Amino acid sequence: MRRITGKAKDETLIELQSATDSQTGDGPAVLTAFRINLHSDENNGNGVPLSERTSLPGHAETDKLQPNRDTVFFRDGVRRIDFVLSYVDDKDGEKKQERRREFEANLEKAGLELETDDKSDSKDQKTYFLKIHAPWDVLATYADILKIKVPFKESDIPHGQDVPLEWLSRPFRLPEHIMHPAADYFTYPFDKTKTNFFLINNKDTFFPPSTRNRIVFYILARCPYYKEGRIDKDKTGIKRLLSNGTYTSAFPLHDVRNAECESERYNLYRHWARFLCFYKEQPLNLIRKYYGEKIGIYFAWLGFYTEMLFFAAVMGVICFTYGVLSYDDNISSKEICDASIGGSILMCPLCDKKCPFWRLNSTCLSSWQSHLFDNEGTVFFAIFMGIWVTLFLEFWKRRQARLEYEWDLVDFEEEQQQLQIRPEFEIRCTNRRLNKITKEMEPYLPVTSKCARFCLSAATVLFWISLIVACIIGVIAYRLAVYAAFASIIKDPMRKIQVVGRFITPQLATSVTASCINFVIIMILNFFYERVAVWITDMEIPKTHLEYENRLTMKMFLFQFVNYYSSCFYVAFFKGKFVGYPGHYTYMFGKQSKLRNEECDPGGCLIELTTQLVIVMAGKQLWGNIQEALLPLMRNWWSSRKGRHNPENHYSRWEQDHVLQNFGQLGLFYEYLEMVVQFGFITLFVASFPLAPLLALCNNILEIRVDAWKFTTQFRRPVASKARNIGAWQEILNAVAILSVVTNAFIMAFTSDMIPRMVYLYAYGNGMRGYVNNSLSIYNISRIPESNMPEDHDYWFDNSTTCRYRDYRYPPGHEKEYFHTMQFWHILAAKMAFIIIMEHVVFVVKFFVAWLIPDIPSDVKARIKRERYLIQGELGSSYKLCILRTKYLHHSAAGSESVGGVILCGCRLKSHPPK
């Protein structure tokens, strides 16, 4: 979009004058008069030739030409603003002013053009804005350095054929110009010496704004702010200037977001960011064009993950529905609730002193609830989820390969590894050595320093993990205390509170309160983990941005994995498993601690795991949405509450963006982390809660639109960056997928009652009647130690001499009393066999599916080969033309006039004077 008055072929004179002001640290005021010639036909649509423009000033402080300041151009209306820096005067002004003067002078030496807005023009009357424009020469130079791919030939490969019943997907589609904002081209890394090889119709619009701001930021990150001859090499880059307060912010500009001037940002807001578009496809190509490939690949992954969740959610609902429909067929629960069976069974106390003897029918409700999640359909669903994870990861690889080609990301990682070294690495590593590949001197970190940093990093990680374990132990102790308190409150069956106690059992009250406390601890620890992980990664001084993100990803996920999942692992695999039996209970940290390992009533452990999963998962997602949506909205409202009495277009585009929230370097990292943690919840423990994928699906539908709204309205435009895939998150997802098969197999075997029921059904009983009585062992009350007896003796056991507990042990009086029965070992063998069989079946299917589905679609392979063939052909023919032209000039030079310099396909042919 060019805002130049007049027709394309007219010669326009723009004269800008301003009164001469006194010279300041921001540069002198200037009187500018320059002529811009626009001859699109003569210049092949390239706009204004650089050779026909007079030199532009470094700092143009001129009066406003138009009342509407909502523009993305300099005051001349021609040069686009590629980046904006802001700063204010403060008590340390002279020192910071000196830094800015040197930094801006070095930016001008690098070829960038600057323009400053005085603080009197800003709405707060104290903020200066430095606008930066990158001319064609700078863009071409750094596009060559960064090997940015640009079009050289229009694609001749037809798009895929129409899909049958295509009309069914029509309501979910977006307009074609939104889905495909640019034509399809074959591309090749830009070469400044071969400009005629590329399709350059207009130099002003050849590089999109996302590429322009990426190039400018690359320069800003490496530009020094020390004088020539100084050795302060650490005084380099905009990041240090932002950290020491020299500049307050640095950001590229958003497009205008209104219907009067349709722009990419407006189209994104209209077709993507509104919640009413939740059923529509995402305009991924437009997202990539506006925000860059790194953000585009995140939304592509999030959208694909949400689509795949639909199938898992449907299957989970079917499994849950089966549990509801088979509710009346649950013979075990009927026996527990029957007064003549469950009401006649006296159970031993579940804790010391505070817990009374209790009747089995008091767990009637929890036994019915557990059947909803613990039934035959759960086994099928656990196997299905193991296969679903594989299909999700394999199909994502195919989708990712297609995006890599369409977004010019093939071989990107290999090219950028040596090019985009982190400025922090260059500054802090003073040692230099010869790179065997590039044959250039480069900074490096000595092995001794690297080992020392890694050792300190590992020690820090272990320390913080041990802190998590300590917090878990504290929560367990709290659970025991709360359980005892609730048990003592509702122990009296003659009180009316027992009616409430039927629904609010000690186990449920303990589970809910402990889960809430655990969630609060998780949120508090997360606050510290984020800072510790960043500090450790900075201390290691990674070489490249990719290496930095991968290391931070692994550390952060390790912290989050232990933090979020440790309590679920405890409930699933440890609670109720190592409790001992009356008279010989197992205590945590020895009997002196008086912390007896927790027990589970029938179905209690599974219900508690489900409760823990729902509270932590739902609480995390709710808190995440509050942080992502409400907090930025409130902060932006607070920042812009003053001076908003006038229409928005009365304020400059850079002022409007300045009050928005900054999208930091790790902003996208936390988005990935949130989704991957959710992925762990719906895969690692899905056997205990089949509705988890449905909750995740509903959250992600909202998440996509919240993130889109946040990016387009509440955050400054991020600096565009490239990424060919989701990075280290791919390996983390693969590891979670493999671990999920193991965890679900163990949940089905040890947390669920499915295996004991199957063993009883096929080996010990005639049907399921009598299973409850068979699963409970007998203990003589008179042999229970006083330390384990309740403080208040209830009348329940006045006429009873024995109580029951969940285990398979010989009864009193047997020659092997209180030893495990053969049924216990049969059940244990069946559990281990189930784990082995389920794991092998799922893993075999997983590996077969992974082998069957190729990672790269065949049509994408064909397109890549076609593009490379064309590149070789075009470059080969261009080289031959250069050779022939050279021979012709040598042959004709003796009998003709001198031939001027010719540029053909990047080959400069010098003139040969006659002999």
Side-chain angles (χ1 to χ4, degrees):
M1 177 171 56
R2 294 175 60 86
R3 302 185 178 185
I4 304 177
T5 307
K7 298 181 179 180
K9 295 185 179 180
D10 294 339
E11 180 175 316
T12 306
L13 176 64
I14 301 179
E15 295 184 352
L16 307 176
Q17 296 183 351
S18 64
T20 305
D21 297 325
S22 59
Q23 184 172 348
T24 64
D26 298 322
V30 295
L31 179 65
T32 307
F34 56 93
R35 182 177 299 275
I36 301 178
N37 298 314
L38 302 178
H39 298 284
S40 58
D41 291 344
E42 297 177 5
N43 299 317
N44 298 321
N46 292 344
V48 185
L50 295 177
S51 59
E52 296 184 15
R53 297 183 186 177
T54 59
S55 59
L56 297 174
H59 292 257
E61 298 183 0
T62 57
D63 295 334
K64 294 186 279 284
L65 294 177
Q66 51 188 0
N68 184 0
R69 303 178 62 202
D70 195 2
T71 177
V72 293
F73 292 88
F74 274 17
R75 294 191 186 97
D76 56 25
V78 178
R79 293 173 293 170
R80 184 182 182 93
I81 301 173
D82 297 313
F83 227 87
V84 174
L85 308 180
S86 67
Y87 60 91
V88 295
D89 290 332
D90 52 22
K91 59 183 180 180
D92 197 19
E94 294 184 1
K95 188 175 182 179
K96 294 179 180 178
Q97 189 177 23
E98 178 65 24
R99 295 173 187 161
R100 288 193 293 267
R101 185 182 297 112
E102 297 298 333
F103 185 69
E104 292 168 15
N106 289 328
L107 290 179
E108 290 179 339
K109 291 179 182 178
L112 298 179
E113 297 173 2
L114 312 178
E115 182 180 84
T116 302
D117 265 15
D118 191 78
K119 64 180 180 180
S120 60
D121 295 330
S122 62
K123 67 176 182 179
D124 60 5
Q125 300 291 304
K126 62 180 181 180
T127 304
Y128 294 87
F129 291 97
L130 176 67
K131 296 168 286 184
I132 302 174
H133 168 76
W136 168 257
D137 284 342
V138 174
L139 295 173
T141 299
Y142 283 91
D144 192 351
I145 293 174
L146 297 176
K147 300 300 179 184
I148 295 175
K149 290 187 175 183
V150 294
F152 72 90
K153 182 180 178 63
E154 189 169 355
S155 176
D156 57 357
I157 299 178
H159 291 282
Q161 299 179 354
D162 294 338
V163 181
L165 301 177
E166 187 180 3
W167 57 273
L168 291 176
S169 62
R170 197 168 298 162
F172 308 101
R173 292 185 176 180
L174 292 174
E176 184 65 20
H177 73 281
I178 301 298
M179 289 301 298
H180 301 282
D184 192 9
Y185 294 97
F186 291 121
T187 59
Y188 186 72
F190 185 79
D191 190 338
K192 190 177 180 180
T193 63
K194 298 181 176 62
T195 54
N196 289 350
F197 175 66
F198 303 103
L199 299 178
I200 305 178
N201 296 322
N202 189 330
K203 290 185 177 180
D204 292 335
T205 59
F206 180 67
F207 294 107
S210 58
T211 301
R212 297 175 67 101
N213 70 58
R214 184 161 72 94
I215 291 175
V216 174
F217 184 76
Y218 183 87
I219 299 173
L220 292 174
R222 288 159 176 77
C223 184
Y225 55 92
Y226 55 83
K227 294 183 179 179
E228 293 184 2
R230 298 277 294 274
I231 58 174
D232 302 328
K233 299 296 184 181
D234 60 329
K235 294 184 176 182
T236 302
I238 187 62
K239 291 184 179 180
R240 289 185 62 86
L241 290 173
L242 290 172
S243 62
N244 60 32
T246 304
Y247 291 99
T248 56
S249 64
F251 54 91
L253 287 182
H254 271 300
D255 287 344
V256 180
R257 195 201 71 187
N258 56 58
E260 299 176 357
C261 182
E262 186 171 350
S263 62
E264 294 175 357
R265 185 189 185 195
Y266 171 74
N267 287 330
L268 286 172
Y269 177 77
R270 179 182 177 186
H271 299 284
W272 180 49
R274 295 190 303 169
F275 181 76
L276 294 179
C277 300
F278 72 92
Y279 63 95
K280 296 282 188 178
E281 58 185 339
Q282 295 188 88
L284 295 178
N285 289 322
L286 188 58
I287 297 171
R288 171 247 181 172
K289 184 180 179 183
Y290 190 76
Y291 290 110
E293 288 77 5
K294 190 171 185 179
I295 292 179
I297 205 77
Y298 163 73
F299 281 103
W301 175 82
L302 180 58
F304 183 79
Y305 170 49
T306 305
E307 293 173 8
M308 292 294 293
L309 273 177
F310 173 78
F311 303 101
V314 170
M315 193 58 63
V317 171
I318 293 175
C319 178
F320 181 78
T321 304
Y322 172 80
V324 173
L325 295 178
S326 61
Y327 198 73
D328 294 333
D329 300 331
N330 186 8
I331 298 177
S332 299
S333 295
K334 289 182 178 180
E335 290 185 349
I336 292 175
C337 297
D338 191 347
S340 61
I341 301 177
S344 63
I345 297 178
L346 182 68
M347 302 295 293
C348 300
L350 294 176
C351 65
D352 296 338
K353 296 296 183 181
K354 299 296 182 181
C355 297
F357 292 90
W358 52 286
R359 298 290 179 181
L360 182 61
N361 63 349
S362 64
T363 62
C364 175
L365 181 62
S366 62
S367 66
W368 283 112
Q369 292 172 343
S370 65
H371 176 74
L372 299 176
F373 310 107
D374 184 13
N375 52 69
E376 293 77 7
T378 308
V379 181
F380 170 78
F381 184 63
I383 297 175
F384 169 82
M385 286 301 296
I387 301 173
W388 174 88
V389 169
T390 303
L391 292 174
F392 163 63
L393 295 176
E394 293 301 320
F395 283 132
W396 166 245
K397 290 179 183 178
R398 291 173 59 85
R399 181 64 185 278
Q400 188 172 256
R402 189 177 298 277
L403 290 176
E404 284 182 15
Y405 170 75
E406 293 177 354
W407 292 357
D408 300 325
L409 299 172
V410 179
D411 300 329
F412 164 74
E413 181 178 324
E414 290 76 11
E415 295 172 355
Q416 298 301 316
Q417 278 290 81
Q418 299 299 328
L419 295 176
Q420 294 191 1
I421 297 177
R422 296 174 66 240
E424 294 84 353
F425 184 85
E426 296 177 333
I427 293 171
R428 299 176 65 179
C429 297
T430 57
N431 299 312
R432 295 289 189 272
R433 68 180 176 185
L434 182 66
N435 188 310
K436 296 180 180 180
I437 299 175
T438 62
K439 298 300 181 182
E440 296 179 356
M441 300 299 293
E442 65 176 11
Y444 80 100
L445 189 65
V447 177
T448 54
S449 177
K450 186 180 296 185
C451 292
R453 293 175 185 274
F454 275 124
C455 291
L456 181 59
S457 173
T460 307
V461 171
L462 292 176
F463 168 77
W464 282 92
I465 290 179
S466 63
L467 181 61
I468 299 177
V469 175
C471 292
I472 295 172
I473 294 173
V475 172
I476 294 173
Y478 166 82
R479 296 167 67 97
L480 296 174
V482 170
Y483 176 80
F486 276 96
S488 63
I489 291 175
I490 64 174
K491 66 183 179 180
D492 190 350
M494 302 301 294
R495 298 179 184 177
K496 292 183 179 181
I497 198 173
Q498 180 64 21
V499 177
V500 181
R502 183 188 175 193
F503 299 96
I504 307 177
T505 62
Q507 292 83 1
L508 180 61
T510 302
S511 177
V512 173
T513 55
S515 298
C516 294
I517 294 295
N518 183 53
F519 177 72
V520 173
I521 294 176
I522 287 173
M523 293 295 103
I524 294 174
L525 289 177
N526 278 345
F527 176 81
F528 295 101
Y529 289 152
E530 293 175 4
R531 286 150 181 79
V532 171
V534 172
W535 176 76
I536 294 173
T537 309
D538 288 338
M539 181 186 62
E540 294 176 359
I541 319 179
K543 183 177 181 180
T544 64
H545 293 283
L546 180 63
E547 186 180 355
Y548 180 88
E549 291 187 5
N550 289 344
R551 291 188 185 182
L552 179 62
T553 298
M554 297 305 296
K555 293 180 182 65
M556 197 65 174
F557 182 76
L558 179 61
F559 284 144
Q560 299 283 28
F561 184 91
V562 178
N563 197 21
Y564 278 108
Y565 304 143
S566 55
S567 58
C568 294
F569 273 104
Y570 165 75
V571 175
F573 305 125
F574 295 97
K575 183 181 178 182
K577 306 300 185 296
F578 310 99
V579 297
Y581 60 94
H584 294 81
Y585 287 116
T586 304
Y587 289 83
M588 190 180 304
F589 309 115
K591 195 170 183 179
Q592 294 76 12
S593 65
K594 297 182 180 181
L595 296 177
R596 197 172 108 189
N597 288 359
E598 297 180 89
E599 295 188 55
C600 294
D601 59 17
C605 283
L606 194 64
I607 293 297
E608 187 165 351
L609 178 59
T610 303
T611 304
Q612 183 86 8
L613 188 66
V614 171
I615 290 179
V616 177
M617 180 180 173
K620 178 186 180 304
Q621 293 177 348
L622 178 62
W623 178 250
N625 289 331
I626 292 176
Q627 283 185 313
E628 293 181 11
L630 294 182
L631 291 183
L633 185 63
M634 294 176 62
R635 289 171 181 170
N636 290 336
W637 172 81
W638 182 259
S639 300
S640 60
R641 70 190 187 282
K642 297 180 180 179
R644 283 301 188 188
H645 304 293
N646 297 322
E648 191 177 68
N649 59 9
H650 282 209
Y651 303 100
S652 62
R653 165 56 37 205
W654 43 95
E655 287 180 282
Q656 296 177 39
D657 287 3
H658 183 257
V659 298
L660 298 179
Q661 295 298 302
N662 181 41
F663 189 78
Q665 181 183 1
L666 300 178
L668 205 59
F669 169 82
Y670 295 113
E671 302 291 344
Y672 273 116
L673 182 62
E674 179 184 4
M675 289 296 103
V676 172
V677 170
Q678 180 203 86
F679 179 81
F681 278 121
I682 69 168
T683 54
L684 294 174
F685 310 102
V686 72
S688 65
F689 187 47
L691 294 181
L694 179 62
L695 295 181
L697 174 64
C698 297
N699 175 81
N700 288 5
I701 291 175
L702 178 64
E703 179 78 20
I704 291 176
R705 304 305 160 179
V706 168
D707 286 347
W709 170 80
K710 178 180 64 177
F711 271 88
T712 54
T713 63
Q714 302 302 310
F715 280 87
R716 297 170 186 162
R717 185 174 185 173
V719 178
S721 58
K722 284 183 174 288
R724 63 175 300 181
N725 49 42
I726 61 176
W729 299 111
Q730 183 76 37
E731 299 302 323
I732 290 176
L733 292 175
N734 290 331
V736 172
I738 295 174
L739 182 60
S740 66
V741 178
V742 180
T743 56
N744 284 298
F746 272 85
I747 288 174
M748 296 301 300
F750 289 99
T751 306
S752 168
D753 272 346
M754 187 198 67
I755 301 299
R757 289 199 302 264
M758 294 297 101
V759 172
Y760 178 81
L761 177 64
Y762 293 108
Y764 288 90
N766 185 15
M768 290 303 298
R769 294 194 177 276
Y771 166 73
V772 173
N773 184 67
N774 176 264
S775 64
L776 299 176
S777 298
I778 303 174
Y779 196 83
N780 194 335
I781 294 178
S782 62
R783 299 185 61 176
I784 297 178
E786 186 63 27
S787 60
N788 299 136
M789 290 290 288
E791 293 177 347
D792 299 327
H793 289 194
D794 280 302
Y795 70 92
W796 282 358
F797 61 90
D798 287 344
N799 299 324
S800 301
T801 59
T802 60
C803 63
R804 310 293 291 272
Y805 59 99
R806 287 175 58 83
D807 206 342
Y808 294 91
R809 295 179 182 272
Y810 290 109
H814 194 277
E815 59 180 2
K816 296 182 180 179
E817 66 175 1
Y818 306 133
F819 282 91
H820 284 124
T821 64
M822 286 303 299
Q823 186 176 355
F824 170 82
W825 299 109
H826 291 163
I827 292 175
L828 181 60
K831 290 180 178 180
M832 301 306 297
F834 173 82
I835 292 173
I836 295 173
I837 294 173
M838 179 178 172
E839 286 181 355
H840 280 71
V841 169
V842 175
F843 280 135
V844 168
V845 175
K846 280 170 61 69
F847 292 137
F848 176 74
V849 170
W851 171 81
L852 190 64
I853 302 175
D855 293 345
I856 303 177
S858 58
D859 62 318
V860 173
K861 291 181 180 179
R863 285 171 176 260
I864 294 174
K865 292 179 180 179
R866 170 68 174 165
E867 183 172 290
R868 290 175 177 173
Y869 171 78
L870 290 175
I871 290 172
Q872 292 175 357
E874 293 286 343
L875 292 178
S877 60
S878 300
Y879 177 75
K880 292 177 181 178
L881 285 175
C882 290
I883 297 298
L884 291 175
R885 180 64 172 167
T886 305
K887 292 181 178 179
Y888 170 75
L889 289 175
H890 277 285
H891 178 72
S892 61
S896 62
E897 297 180 357
S898 61
V899 182
V902 179
I903 300 178
L904 181 60
C905 299
C907 301
R908 180 173 294 276
L909 307 180
K910 297 182 179 180
S911 61
H912 298 272
K915 295 181 181 179

